[in-house]
Amino acid sequence: MGTTVFERQKPPASVIAHSLEHTARSVFWLDDLPEGAVGGRPKLTGDHVADLVIVGGGYTGLWSAVLAKRRNPGARIVLVEAKSIGWAASGRNGGFCEASLTHGDENGTARWPKEMPTLHRLGMQNLDAIEAAEAEYGMDFHFERTGMLAPAIEEHQVEWLRDWHAEAVKQGEEGVVFLDEAAVQASVASPTYLAGIWEQRTNAMVHPARLASELARVAEDLGVEIFEHSPVKRIDTPGSTGAVSVITESGRVDAAHAVLATNVFPSLLKRNRLMTVPVYDYVLMTEPLSEQQLADIGWKDRQGIGDMANQFHYYRLSKDNRILFGGYDAIYNYGRKVRTEYENRPESWQKLASHFFTTFPQLEGLQFSHQWAGAIDTSTQFTAFFGTARDNRVAYAAGFTGLGVGSTRFAAEVMLDLLEGRDNERTQLEMVRKRPLPFPPEPAASMGINATRWSLDRADHNRGKRNILLKTLDALGLGFDS
């Protein structure tokens, strides 16, 4: 069994200790919002009537509100959030806004090969629409269409990149550039890089919390009522009235239709309770880099970066030239609960710090200002699933598996289509019409997920070779992603 570059080129323990010496346990993106952008909205009290009620104040719910208002400006829309807008995954992710609706081409091709040309086109249209939204609605969420760099950091990954590039050329894809060792290090100066693929148009970087807060502002400007600190206890659909009732401790909303956008949190629908598991992801953010530090690493094109390992890292520059560095550890805790205590895992941050200085040894001495974590709503197909319930009164989407920044907007369009009974290109997709397999209940879920994570780690140590468990999961269309 081999070693990875992060084991072969570990920085001194003193470098790691110094880098984490003054790190705050806080979400940088939320701390970086303008004053007054977080909270301040009322709690739901009393009885309300609406045409559409939305449960969840992250991207999925907020896009649903904005797009529903675009379709029907006169509609009465109420959004109910358990805490505050964007406090969970939508405010603490890496800010990678990708065109892919399928968690990458490989995953999509394995599941819906005939639909991939359509899914490619719809994904690019969706990303274009997010880019256009800044001007259309007067928003500012730091959108930068810089693309995505996939570096090879082990010898066997170079051939993967060559195959990827050859297939892109064969398919006539534009903006997929192969970089040899000299070219990739000229782009981003990491001594670990052996080659790279730069997809120049399929990814943008955004400020995650700003995207959520700006969507909320626009929704309210359009007339949507938003209530915070109002956890929903249940959803009722009385058989005779054709209505949906969303009920909290101190209020209720009666509406013709509902959108459930609770993602990683336990579904209000029994049928979806086993469809996702919460997987915890850990992140570091550096202090702003100096001019000299920026010059030392290059990165003038400001691409998002994600390496090729099963247990991969993702990293990017913020507007003020900090580096966000996250991923690798993807931790599932027995019982599929979402708990604040799971966000505190010092060993994951220490590991990330070590891997950071292996990637950029020239930045030795740089310190991390923030460390945080969050739960990812993981599905067995690695991407969102969709559906309706209660006589088509309720629509839902969940299971984005860490790539929801862009695809939540597409999910909102799908849910609104389904509630309106539209028969169109989106609703005819097999990805939309068919549900993935659920995760098993405990203890099978924990045993299966942890065995899969161990197998993925072994594959990274063995030139990418997948063992019998991973091959079986591949054949079944199941799996687990870091």
Side-chain angles (χ1 to χ4, degrees), residues 152-170:
I153 57 174
E154 303 289 350
E155 288 288 349
H156 66 273
Q157 296 170 356
V158 177
E159 194 59 36
W160 294 353
L161 293 181
R162 292 189 187 279
D163 291 344
W164 176 358
H165 183 250
E167 183 63 23
V169 171
K170 179 181 176 182

Side-chain angles (χ1 to χ4, degrees), residues 231-291:
V232 173
K233 300 300 180 184
R234 70 180 191 276
I235 181 168
D236 290 343
T237 47
S240 59
T241 65
V244 179
S245 298
V246 165
I247 298 162
T248 70
E249 282 186 349
S250 57
R252 67 183 287 148
V253 182
D254 296 320
H257 291 103
V259 161
L260 300 186
T262 54
N263 296 322
V264 76
F265 296 96
S267 177
L268 293 165
L269 298 173
K270 186 177 180 181
R271 70 176 64 180
N272 288 341
R273 296 284 168 83
L274 295 178
M275 296 301 293
T276 63
V277 294
V279 175
Y280 278 82
D281 183 47
Y282 298 84
V283 182
L284 290 170
M285 180 70 96
T286 72
E287 60 193 356
L289 274 64
S290 67
E291 292 290 334

Side-chain angles (χ1 to χ4, degrees), residues 28-99:
F28 168 77
W29 303 120
L30 294 171
D31 291 346
D32 192 51
L33 285 174
E35 187 175 351
V38 177
R41 296 179 176 89
K43 184 177 181 179
L44 182 73
T45 57
D47 295 342
H48 299 257
V49 177
D51 297 300
L52 176 67
V53 59
I54 299 167
V55 182
Y59 298 146
T60 310
L62 292 167
W63 277 119
S64 297
V66 170
L67 295 175
K69 270 292 188 180
R70 172 193 276 175
R71 294 183 182 206
N72 185 359
R76 296 165 297 172
I77 300 174
V78 173
L79 186 149
V80 183
E81 163 56 39
K83 291 191 177 181
S84 58
I85 292 297
W87 75 274
S90 295
R92 60 181 69 202
N93 63 80
F96 287 68
C97 188
E98 298 199 22

